[in-house]
Amino acid sequence: MREGEKTMCEAKAKSDTADKLLRVEGLRKGEILDQVSFEMSQGELLAVMGPSGSGKSTLLYQVTGMDQPSGGRVWLGGTEVTGLTEDEKARLRMKRMGFVFQQMNMLANLNILDNILLPAVQANKGKGKKSADELTKTARDLMRKLSISGLEDRRITQVSGGQLQRACICRSMMNRPEILFADEPTGSLNKRAASEVMTELVRLNREGTSVLMVTHDGRIASCCDRILYLLDGRICGELVLGRAKEGTGRMREEKVNSWLMEMGW
Amino acid sequence: MIRKLIWNDMKQNRLSCAATIFFMAVSAMLLALAVLLCSGLLGAIDNLMDRSQVPDYMQMHTGSDIFAKPGGGRMGSAAEALSSFAEERKEVRQWQICRFLNLDNSRITLGSRSLADSTQDNGLCVQGEGFDYLLDTENRMPKVLPGEVYAPACYRSLYELAEGDIMAIGSHELVIAGFIRDAQMNSMMASSKRFLVSAEDYGRIKESGITQTDGLMTDSPSQGYLSEEYLIEFRLSEGTDINSFAAAYAASGLPANGPAVTKPLVRMMNALADGTMILVIFLVSAVVLLISMLCIRFLCLTQMERERREMGMLKALGVGRTGIRRIYFVKYLLFSGWGAFAGYSAAFLLKAPLEKQIRELYGAAPGGIKAVITAFLAVILVEGILLLSVRGSLKKTERLSALEALFQSGERKKSMGQYIVIGLVAAACTFLALVPRNLYSTMSAPEFVTYMGIGDGELRMDVRQTDNIDLATEQIAAALRLDAEVERFAVLRTGSVRAVLPDGETISLTVETGDHSIFPVSYSEGSLPEKRGEIALSAMNADELGLDVGSTVRLMIDGKPEEYTVCGIYSDITNGGRTAKAFETGSSAPAMWSILYVSLNGSEGKGQWMSHYRQMGADVTDIADYVRDTYGQTLGQLRLAFLAVLAIAVLVISVVVMLFMRLIVEKERYTVSLHKALGFTCMDMKRLYFFRGLIPVIMGLIAGILVGILCGERVCGLVLSAFGAESFRFVISWDWVLAFIPAVLLGPAACAVLMGIEGIRRIGAFECCRGNGQT
């Protein structure tokens, strides 16, 4: 390929990826993921479903740069995640990504407020960054928004699972990420707490944050704009639901359930 | 099945297993080494003393040849008196008079090196007639031919001598045919060294007059008389109380103007010079054993914490409490066996180089099997203590229910305990390195001699080898008074005084009179005698006579009793450690000897000044040289021990810090992973754990320095009291204590922290997502 052609191709690829918030191309990880490719638009709420062992969580680790894939490429905006060093990936996660885990993963020796502040304090080290007071104010605002005000000084063992997961969402939102990744965010919650957490995630998405969620739960997935079905490390189905509107919940849920049955769920 | 479990465990926890074996091996090695060296040294000394038939009591005497019969016969009047004394006393098995021809050090060269700087009294002698033999390096009596000389074994490495080298005494040359082990004077702490020559050479050199004769150094054969030293030696029957024999001799009025030495004192001097290193190794082995106990216990507890779930599973499957404990205990038993074997073998490997000097001076210790068994028992003792501590830790498994173990494994304890261990080990290592260093700087400090009964002067002049000591002393004192180079001086006369103890017993006391405030010694209790009626006693005298400060003792001055109050007690190793000091007694009895302490205005021309006064009949010694010669051997060993201890401390602190930081990182894997998932870089996490690891090390170093300074003195007191220094203050070399030792320990510790936290790099950010949640 001549130099001019190469530059043009790179420019086209860059322009393509710039349109999409997240682009995954031929991603492989050992025998778990096999040539996984998909895209995600700005402001989209995307769910990845599949049976246990299908590679959902592994896909999330590769996309977020927490693990090194065997092959393939991942772009977040114009940045190729797979081409970054470990430290660059960590900084990317800190500034542009947010995480909500199934098991909450909070530090037992910090209270709820300090756990929420943890990544923000690290990201705002240095001159010209937000002060501790400003960060605390942001954290309290987020807590109020997610209806967990008053739990600031509680230990993580002194709050319910739903409250803890909402605190995790607060933590993930502290650095105003472009995209929020959620790994089975309602997996360890009861039905009521799960629907509260999902309501908050949908609200954040409506306010402009893109969300990529891995879930087992058809009811939760039915709140998303689009669902990808992963089986044996390959994407073998896609369901486009579009934006959820008031009063369409049951219909969307049935649609998801029948699609899942088609997929062999 | 147990074998399989242990094998798999070792494969999974290689580092922790290796560390456990390391601690077990090092502890075993150090104690076994100390035992081997100790039994080797004592065995070798006893063997040499037996073979050379050391006298039980030896009295030195100097002056004109009082033993020679007028006309050249052997038995003079003094010798006859001695003979009748020996015959009267049934406990005397054998007695003899050995002659020692004191040479002028400046006239001696050994190989290519002059002995001018030596503060030892070097002299010639012939083989003892009935006992006190000088043995060769095979511990046999050498046959010395005319023209040959056997040099002291301790000079072999000191002056780099070899057989065939020439010893020159003035114009006389003798070929060094071999080296002798002198059971009495082997130690550099003994102030004389004997060269063995043939009777012909002895007579020839004596006649030629190249000797120290009342201070007049001359090469002229026409010198009127020669001064020899006489060693009046007694072999006593077993069970004899040597102290009462010594008292009887002192009371008999027989020749006794020099120090007296007993067999136990000779044995102690021999043991001490080489024993310091062994004492230090004993001290180190005790501290390392404590460190090992602490570390192994923590490794065990950490592993149990990690394997809580497996333990719960075993319990749930019905394996009993003792069953689980046995699985763990068998593993530690196996480790202990390997550690013991490695430690025991290493002790034997290290023994050879460390024992080199002992072998050279005293020969090989006989009956090696006894030492081997004792060392083996020491290893068993160490491993037993460690296994008992492990057993105590394993008891925790008994208190854990199956459900607790299965479902509470997520709630891991934080790593505070490990940080405390790091701090404690850093403190112990600093203490370990600090104490021998402070001991070294204390013993090498000029003021250390004041703990030994020697005044804090620059030069010491002994007036002994003359018939009229008082006159010679007065002449020298008069010269010193007029000497512009002299800053200050003190004259101390020593005489024998009869003393009546509170219980009525009468003894003979060696009392040094004069102004003791000019060059004072260190007093462990009370203060120096400042007026007539006050007396200070050496610690050994006070102890044996049962006298304390404030007790009274009656001295018989010219036949009249006079009350004296004990005003102070001081440490002393001179003259067998039994001395007393008074300001004035007013006794008209002639002095046995006198000592003059002198400080000069400047050090220029000191050598010339010293030789000038030597010609006036005084044996002038530079106290700094005296310390170098007397304690040089001990200080050399102490320095070696300090370096060895420092190396051990660096090794231990590095291993412990690296190990525990790895354990901490392993234990906090979820926390690290979560931080990474949240966007913390590897460097952020390493920085965090680096400071977390370094802070306890620094705190430990500070604690170790404080404890080393405050308590080290007491620990060293145990060592130094054996040298006769009863109460002493550490002479601390602050540059070592505050800069060098902390830097030497902190550097490797910081590297160990870095190595320990290297594992952070390998912790995946995704791991926390798979885990049990709360970390």
Side-chain angles (χ1 to χ4, degrees):
Chain A
M1 193 185 284
R2 281 179 297 174
E3 193 58 35
E5 284 173 7
K6 193 179 168 187
T7 315
M8 275 175 68
C9 284
E10 278 177 358
K12 186 174 180 299
K14 203 169 179 180
S15 125
D16 284 350
T17 51
D19 295 340
K20 300 290 179 189
L21 176 65
L22 184 73
R23 188 174 166 192
V24 177
E25 215 176 76
L27 199 65
R28 285 189 290 113
K29 177 69 182 177
E31 291 174 0
I32 307 168
L33 295 178
D34 183 16
Q35 300 290 341
V36 176
S37 301
F38 67 93
E39 288 175 346
M40 192 180 159
S41 307
Q42 180 71 48
E44 194 178 359
L45 179 52
L46 175 69
V48 178
M49 292 192 78
S52 293
S54 58
K56 303 184 296 292
S57 296
T58 306
L59 174 65
L60 205 65
Y61 306 150
Q62 315 308 311
V63 170
T64 55
M66 286 195 207
D67 198 5
Q68 186 64 36
S70 317
R73 300 163 93 179
V74 177
W75 284 272
L76 179 68
T79 312
E80 189 190 338
V81 180
T82 38
L84 301 177
T85 63
E86 283 302 311
D87 283 353
E88 287 167 340
K89 282 181 201 167
R91 277 192 281 274
L92 189 79
R93 281 199 297 275
M94 170 89 58
K95 289 176 182 157
R96 295 173 65 184
M97 297 177 184
F99 291 91
V100 179
F101 307 97
Q102 179 183 359
Q103 301 288 350
M104 291 80 163
N105 286 338
M106 285 209 162
L107 299 178
N109 53 345
L110 295 181
N111 63 22
I112 296 288
L113 181 64
D114 290 337
N115 264 296
I116 292 172
L117 284 169
L118 182 70
V121 169
Q122 179 68 15
N124 285 282
K125 271 186 181 167
K127 283 183 181 172
K129 301 287 174 65
K130 284 184 182 172
S131 68
D133 287 346
E134 283 176 291
L135 293 176
T136 309
K137 188 177 173 301
T138 312
R140 286 182 191 279
D141 288 346
L142 276 168
M143 288 178 81
R144 195 165 38 250
K145 233 167 155 179
L146 272 80
S147 313
I148 50 168
S149 286
L151 303 183
E152 288 87 344
D153 297 327
R154 299 265 185 96
R155 318 284 317 169
I156 61 168
T157 48
Q158 294 170 328
V159 294
S160 71
Q163 287 170 326
L164 198 58
Q165 193 59 293
R166 274 182 279 168
C168 282
I169 296 172
C170 288
R171 181 178 65 183
S172 66
M173 293 306 292
M174 277 300 291
N175 292 335
R176 298 191 183 284
E178 294 167 40
I179 183 165
L180 191 67
F181 293 94
D183 186 7
E184 303 275 11
T186 58
S188 58
L189 302 178
N190 61 31
K191 204 171 170 184
R192 192 175 147 211
S195 92
E196 281 171 7
V197 166
M198 199 53 216
T199 307
E200 297 304 338
L201 283 175
V202 171
R203 192 153 64 83
L204 286 172
N205 175 249
R206 296 297 178 259
E207 287 170 9
T209 310
S210 308
V211 178
L212 194 160
M213 179 196 305
V214 165
T215 182
H216 257 103
D217 190 337
R219 200 168 59 85
I220 294 293
S222 68
C223 303
C224 298
D225 302 338
R226 189 160 58 106
I227 305 172
L228 298 175
Y229 191 80
L230 198 66
L231 185 67
D232 296 335
R234 287 168 160 263
I235 290 179
C236 45
E238 181 181 13
L239 177 66
V240 180
L241 290 165
R243 280 279 144 127
K245 288 177 188 150
E246 278 291 321
T248 58
R250 165 128 358 235
M251 192 187 73
R252 288 168 73 94
E253 210 177 314
E254 281 170 5
K255 195 173 175 184
V256 170
N257 285 340
S258 62
W259 176 70
L260 286 174
M261 280 180 71
E262 271 176 42
M263 300 306 298
W265 183 260
Chain B
M1 183 53 85
I2 287 182
R3 199 186 306 163
K4 208 174 218 174
L5 277 171
I6 292 172
W7 183 242
N8 288 341
D9 175 50
M10 281 166 54
K11 276 201 285 188
Q12 280 163 17
N13 303 301
R14 270 174 292 197
L15 183 76
S16 132
C17 295
T20 307
I21 296 169
F22 167 80
F23 285 120
M24 287 175 157
V26 169
S27 309
M29 180 197 79
L30 284 170
L31 193 63
L33 184 63
V35 166
L36 282 174
L37 288 176
C38 190
S39 56
L41 175 67
L42 295 180
I45 290 173
D46 283 346
N47 183 41
L48 180 64
M49 285 175 74
D50 282 351
R51 278 176 172 255
S52 63
Q53 299 187 30
V54 171
D56 293 295
Y57 180 78
M58 183 189 77
Q59 174 67 57
M60 294 188 199
H61 182 82
T62 54
S64 54
D65 194 352
I66 54 167
F67 298 105
K69 206 174 177 181
R74 186 185 173 278
M75 291 282 273
S77 60
E80 276 165 10
L82 266 171
S83 175
S84 56
F85 170 80
E87 274 167 24
E88 277 169 25
R89 301 200 70 89
K90 285 188 182 123
E91 67 266 40
V92 176
R93 280 197 291 153
Q94 278 175 293
W95 72 279
Q96 68 180 16
I97 300 163
C98 282
R99 285 152 196 263
F100 177 79
L101 198 57
N102 210 347
L103 300 170
D104 172 16
N105 287 340
S106 66
R107 307 297 296 267
I108 311 172
T109 51
L110 281 175
S112 56
R113 294 175 63 175
S114 166
L115 257 60
D117 281 350
S118 172
T119 57
Q120 291 277 340
D121 293 332
N122 295 293
L124 305 180
C125 71
V126 295
Q127 194 63 271
E129 285 170 14
F131 55 98
D132 189 18
Y133 302 122
L134 304 177
L135 306 176
D136 65 11
T137 47
E138 304 294 320
N139 279 1
R140 288 180 307 220
M141 269 204 283
K143 188 166 168 54
V144 193
L145 300 172
E148 284 182 352
V149 62
Y150 278 73
C154 56
Y155 280 2
R156 189 190 216 161
S157 56
L158 191 65
Y159 294 103
E160 294 161 355
L161 298 177
E163 284 172 21
D165 283 350
I166 301 293
M167 176 187 185
I169 308 161
S171 56
H172 296 271
E173 287 194 347
L174 300 167
V175 177
I176 296 174
F179 297 91
I180 44 149
R181 293 185 181 131
D182 185 342
Q184 284 205 74
M185 300 174 188
N186 245 347
S187 163
M188 287 304 279
M189 289 174 79
S191 58
S192 304
K193 291 288 164 281
R194 295 191 277 190
F195 288 79
L196 184 65
V197 290
S198 64
E200 291 89 334
D201 285 326
Y202 187 92
R204 191 163 53 88
I205 294 167
K206 183 181 166 187
E207 286 309 311
S208 71
I210 307 166
T211 54
Q212 189 172 345
T213 60
D214 281 351
L216 287 170
M217 309 314 303
T218 171
D219 216 344
S220 157
S222 61
Q223 194 64 35
Y225 62 93
L226 290 169
S227 174
E228 288 176 304
E229 280 188 28
Y230 304 96
L231 315 178
I232 305 157
E233 300 174 332
F234 296 90
R235 292 260 287 166
L236 306 173
S237 41
E238 267 185 44
T240 306
D241 179 3
I242 297 176
N243 291 334
S244 60
F245 179 82
Y249 185 89
S252 67
L254 288 165
N257 69 358
V261 179
T262 60
K263 191 174 175 181
L265 193 70
V266 169
R267 192 171 190 268
M268 193 181 83
M269 274 204 298
N270 278 330
L272 279 180
D274 288 274
T276 317
M277 180 182 72
I278 300 170
L279 281 171
V280 171
I281 295 176
F282 265 119
L283 175 72
V284 172
S285 69
V287 178
V288 168
L289 181 61
L290 282 176
I291 292 176
S292 299
M293 270 169 71
L294 197 70
C295 292
I296 292 173
R297 194 179 154 84
F298 250 87
L299 286 170
C300 177
L301 289 176
T302 311
Q303 196 185 358
M304 276 162 48
E305 185 74 29
R306 208 164 42 213
E307 293 173 0
R308 236 173 129 94
R309 197 179 279 268
E310 284 87 336
M311 258 189 265
M313 188 199 71
L314 287 171
K315 283 199 171 184
L317 289 175
V319 180
R321 289 186 300 189
T322 46
I324 294 178
R325 211 171 67 186
R326 207 177 70 215
I327 293 174
Y328 281 92
F329 196 70
V330 166
K331 183 179 80 175
Y332 282 99
L333 208 59
L334 192 69
F335 288 173
S336 165
W338 290 347
F341 176 73
Y344 195 53
S345 313
F348 275 96
L349 286 177
L350 281 175
K351 181 183 164 234
L354 291 174
E355 220 183 29
K356 198 177 153 208
Q357 180 170 296
I358 297 173
R359 266 203 311 273
E360 186 164 312
L361 290 185
Y362 307 104
I369 190 72
K370 199 173 152 194
V372 169
I373 291 171
T374 319
F376 183 71
L377 291 176
V379 168
I380 300 277
L381 176 75
V382 167
E383 300 302 334
I385 291 171
L386 292 174
L387 285 173
L388 270 178
S389 134
V390 168
R391 198 165 173 272
S393 311
L394 292 176
K395 281 203 166 168
K396 287 202 168 184
T397 56
E398 293 178 6
R399 293 197 284 271
L400 194 69
S401 81
L403 283 178
E404 270 176 347
L406 277 174
F407 299 111
Q408 291 182 0
S409 58
E411 291 175 14
R412 293 178 180 208
K413 284 182 190 161
K414 285 286 139 192
S415 309
M416 189 52 84
Q418 271 95 335
Y419 289 121
I420 292 173
V421 173
I422 290 177
L424 287 175
V425 170
C429 287
T430 315
F431 179 81
L432 263 190
L434 208 74
V435 170
R437 176 63 225 185
N438 278 344
L439 189 58
Y440 177 81
S441 53
T442 303
M443 285 185 77
S444 57
E447 57 265 40
F448 185 67
V449 290
T450 65
Y451 297 112
M452 302 292 185
I454 296 165
D456 184 20
E458 187 182 343
L459 300 167
R460 172 182 158 138
M461 303 164 91
D462 287 56
V463 184
R464 291 175 192 261
Q465 297 170 352
T466 175
D467 285 340
N468 196 338
I469 287 167
D470 288 311
L471 180 66
T473 307
E474 197 38 59
Q475 281 172 351
I476 294 168
L480 288 173
R481 255 177 236 119
L482 299 171
D483 196 329
E485 286 181 57
V486 174
E487 188 205 357
R488 59 203 161 110
F489 74 96
V491 183
L492 304 171
R493 286 186 177 83
T494 300
S496 182
V497 180
R498 304 291 301 166
V500 184
L501 298 177
D503 62 1
E505 194 191 341
T506 306
I507 55 149
S508 173
L509 209 56
T510 307
V511 184
E512 190 177 47
T513 51
D515 188 349
H516 297 281
S517 65
I518 303 171
F519 299 102
V521 298
S522 293
Y523 287 80
S524 55
E525 280 178 61
S527 58
L528 51 89
E530 287 173 311
K531 56 179 188 286
R532 192 163 175 168
E534 285 183 345
I535 190 165
L537 297 175
S538 70
M540 209 182 273
N541 248 343
D543 194 37
E544 280 181 14
L545 303 176
L547 297 172
D548 291 316
V549 173
S551 307
T552 52
V553 61
R554 258 185 303 154
L555 299 189
M556 303 301 286
I557 311 293
D558 294 337
K560 290 177 195 158
E562 214 172 291
E563 286 275 311
Y564 274 75
T565 309
V566 178
C567 61
I569 293 169
Y570 57 92
S571 313
D572 196 358
I573 56 161
T574 59
N575 301 304
R578 292 179 189 82
T579 58
K581 290 180 194 294
F583 183 73
E584 194 189 342
T585 57
S587 169
S588 58
M592 289 158 74
W593 67 82
S594 27
I595 295 168
L596 295 97
Y597 287 106
V598 183
S599 267
L600 298 180
N601 286 319
S603 59
E604 279 175 37
K606 195 198 266 184
Q608 217 174 354
W609 190 95
M610 284 165 72
S611 56
H612 170 70
Y613 280 90
R614 274 189 192 122
Q615 285 173 7
M616 291 187 71
D619 181 7
V620 190
T621 313
D622 187 330
I623 289 178
D625 290 344
Y626 168 80
V627 169
R628 185 202 62 205
D629 283 1
T630 311
Y631 304 116
Q633 185 183 347
T634 307
L635 286 173
Q637 290 231 335
L638 205 52
R639 200 180 157 76
L640 185 71
F642 161 67
L643 291 174
V645 167
L646 192 62
I648 289 173
V650 166
L651 186 69
V652 168
I653 200 172
S654 305
V655 170
V656 169
V657 168
M658 189 189 74
L659 186 78
F660 278 83
M661 285 317 292
R662 282 184 83 150
L663 286 175
I664 288 168
V665 168
E666 181 59 36
K667 206 171 174 183
E668 299 189 1
R669 206 176 171 93
Y670 285 96
T671 310
V672 175
S673 166
L674 177 62
H675 276 83
K676 280 188 161 187
L678 293 174
F680 283 72
T681 63
C682 189
M683 193 47 79
D684 292 333
M685 296 314 294
K686 278 189 174 178
R687 200 178 296 128
L688 180 72
Y689 279 90
F690 179 72
F691 287 113
R692 278 191 189 174
L694 209 60
I695 286 167
V697 171
I698 293 171
M699 287 168 71
L701 285 177
I702 294 169
I705 290 171
L706 289 176
V707 175
I709 291 170
L710 297 175
C711 304
E713 235 171 44
R714 275 184 215 152
V715 175
C716 288
L718 297 174
V719 180
L720 291 177
S721 63
F723 281 81
E726 285 291 323
S727 66
F728 76 103
R729 288 268 159 273
F730 253 162
V731 176
I732 297 166
S733 48
W734 291 107
D735 49 345
W736 279 84
V737 170
L738 296 179
F740 190 72
I741 292 174
V744 165
L745 292 174
L746 192 61
C751 293
V753 173
L754 284 176
M755 283 163 75
I757 61 173
E758 188 50 31
I760 288 177
R761 200 167 48 86
R762 289 187 291 274
I763 297 176
F766 60 87
E767 289 178 24
C768 63
C769 310
R770 291 176 179 164
N772 347 314
Q774 300 158 2
T775 60

